[in-house]
Amino acid sequence: AGGHLHRHSGQRGCESKRMISLNEMAGLLQSGTVNINGATVKIRAVTASEQAEVLAAVPRPTPPLTKDPAKGSAAPKIENEKDPAHIAAMEKWYAEFRAACVAIACSMMLGEGEKGAKIPAGPVGGVERKGWIQTAAAEVAGRLPLGMIERLYRAQVRVGNGQPAEEETGTDPTTAG
């Protein structure tokens, strides 16, 4: 089951309707750039497999179980998503999940200089990649402000949707002006 590639001409209808290959579809999702204080950062969309890999390496915390106040003491316990420790763990996870995705999307080198490590090329879900993702999550979340992580995360999502990496505003939000 393939998709159809429609190339619109400014007229009614499409110029052509043909099946599109997976390689063509993936090729349509090109990389983009983000301007940070005058520097250009190249970014690409994180694939669905890579996001699943990040979720496996940086799992979402599960809330603690508590008694259901609306039921008797013999009733099964329910998840307490309002637990303060769980809320704190979710905030940390939120930052680290996005940080790891940003590290992949920007092809970040962890560490300093030429000794920095890019994500290993091994199989998705491999032990080396899992370790790199966990390190990236902690390092990026520990060194970049959440606002910058969010900005880069949103940029890779936009690229994955076939849109420009940054919204067209005419100004660089990271420079004084």
Side-chain angles (χ1 to χ4, degrees), residues 109-118:
M109 301 283 284
L110 301 182
E112 296 299 321
E114 295 191 18
K115 293 183 181 181
K118 287 178 82 171

Side-chain angles (χ1 to χ4, degrees), residues 119-140:
I119 190 165
V124 171
V127 174
E128 288 181 5
R129 288 176 62 95
K130 181 178 181 178
W132 186 92
I133 289 167
Q134 290 169 335
T135 300
E139 285 190 16
V140 174

Side-chain angles (χ1 to χ4, degrees), residues 50-67:
E50 289 168 330
Q51 280 206 355
E53 184 177 32
V54 172
L55 275 172
V58 184
R60 185 175 186 208
T62 55
L65 297 177
T66 187
K67 291 181 182 178

Side-chain angles (χ1 to χ4, degrees), residues 97-175:
F97 172 81
R98 282 160 177 70
C101 288
V102 163
I104 293 169
C106 295
S107 299
M108 283 187 184
M109 301 283 284
L110 301 182
E112 296 299 321
E114 295 191 18
K115 293 183 181 181
K118 287 178 82 171
I119 190 165
V124 171
V127 174
E128 288 181 5
R129 288 176 62 95
K130 181 178 181 178
W132 186 92
I133 289 167
Q134 290 169 335
T135 300
E139 285 190 16
V140 174
R143 298 209 42 205
L144 294 181
L146 185 56
M148 182 58 65
I149 293 169
E150 276 295 319
R151 180 175 169 210
L152 293 168
Y153 183 82
R154 285 191 310 269
Q156 70 84 26
V157 169
R158 281 193 294 276
V159 168
N161 288 333
Q163 301 168 338
E166 293 200 282
E167 295 176 24
E168 301 291 330
T169 61
T171 61
D172 177 358
T174 62
T175 57

Side-chain angles (χ1 to χ4, degrees), residues 16-107:
S16 66
K17 286 185 183 181
R18 66 177 179 83
M19 300 304 281
I20 185 169
S21 73
L22 179 57
N23 285 340
E24 287 175 304
M25 179 64 77
L28 294 173
L29 305 176
Q30 299 176 6
S31 61
T33 59
V34 176
N35 184 342
I36 300 172
N37 288 334
T40 300
V41 176
K42 190 172 182 179
I43 195 162
R44 68 168 180 82
V46 175
T47 67
S49 293
E50 289 168 330
Q51 280 206 355
E53 184 177 32
V54 172
L55 275 172
V58 184
R60 185 175 186 208
T62 55
L65 297 177
T66 187
K67 291 181 182 178
D68 186 343
K71 302 201 177 176
S73 61
K77 291 185 175 185
I78 60 170
E79 292 182 344
N80 181 7
E81 294 194 8
K82 294 181 181 181
D83 177 74
H86 175 68
I87 292 170
M90 283 298 295
E91 290 291 329
K92 181 177 186 273
W93 172 82
Y94 179 88
E96 288 183 349
F97 172 81
R98 282 160 177 70
C101 288
V102 163
I104 293 169
C106 295
S107 299

